Amino acid sequence: MPGSQVQTKESFVISEQIMRRMAQRFGTDARTRLLAWQNLIQTTEGSDRGKLERVNRFLNTMQFVDDAIHWKQTDYWATPIEFVASNGGDCEDFAIAKFFTLITLGIPEDRLTLTYVKALRLNQAHMVLTYYPTPGAEPLVLDNLVEAILPSSQRTDLLPVYSMNGSGLWLAKQRGKGQLVGGSDRLKRWNDLLDRMSDETELDKEKTP
């Protein structure tokens, strides 16, 4: 399960080794951002809705930057550590960081999906995170384009295409997950992302010199 790549809230501490590596890649401010994210995870308590609000607000302070500019690649899915340390990414990076942060805070993975949509006003593909309060309920939408967390029925500017988490890939509907169409291993980028998160976890376990 993807959540297994992320530490639990109680044990979430970013090692000094990772801090140094991210500062070397992205500048000294990377440490400040990572410490703020670590503090967010360590101090966030309360209801699921409160967790959604706090995580969405914090991660939406990062900058939107196209992959070609930010990562020098056509399509790159950053790990949450890379996203926060670098202070930016595209819509996938926002949604992925929210997904794993909320799992770390104890929200069950089966309540969260990464949902591809068509942003009608922009006329382009987009990714958001959706949260299901109960199975089959209308999801709430966490989006880097719109600060408010709204039910999907109020996001008439978004046309769902498909959604995914570690448990599967789904054809999306406006409400509910829709029809299962295959495992998430169909998306090579998803597996590459999990591999890099696993590498970060292993690095975190190494003894810091």
Side-chain angles (χ1 to χ4, degrees), residues 45-163:
E45 303 283 356
S47 66
D48 280 7
R49 181 63 190 233
K51 293 175 181 177
L52 297 179
E53 295 281 0
R54 195 173 185 202
V55 169
N56 194 59
R57 184 166 55 249
F58 176 84
L59 291 174
N60 277 359
T61 63
M62 307 299 159
Q63 303 299 309
F64 178 88
V65 191
D66 187 82
D67 282 342
I69 297 171
H70 199 52
W71 304 112
K72 313 303 181 188
Q73 297 186 36
T74 303
D75 193 8
Y76 180 79
W77 289 10
T79 70
I81 284 177
E82 290 175 321
F83 172 68
V84 173
S86 68
N87 193 33
D90 67 2
C91 59
E92 287 101 343
D93 301 327
F94 279 89
I96 288 166
K98 293 172 187 179
F99 177 80
F100 284 108
T101 301
L102 289 167
I103 288 176
T104 306
L105 288 171
I107 292 183
E109 183 191 344
D110 60 9
R111 295 188 184 182
L112 301 168
T113 58
L114 298 161
T115 302
Y116 267 111
V117 298
K118 182 176 182 180
L120 299 177
R121 293 171 186 166
L122 299 176
N123 193 31
Q124 65 184 36
H126 182 51
M127 182 185 275
V128 297
L129 180 67
T130 45
Y131 165 81
Y132 294 80
T134 58
E138 180 182 8
L140 299 173
V141 179
L142 286 72
D143 189 359
N144 64 292
L145 296 178
V146 175
E147 187 66 33
I149 298 176
L150 299 171
S152 60
S153 60
Q154 295 183 30
R155 293 301 307 273
T156 56
D157 56 315
L158 303 178
L159 178 65
V161 179
Y162 68 82
S163 59

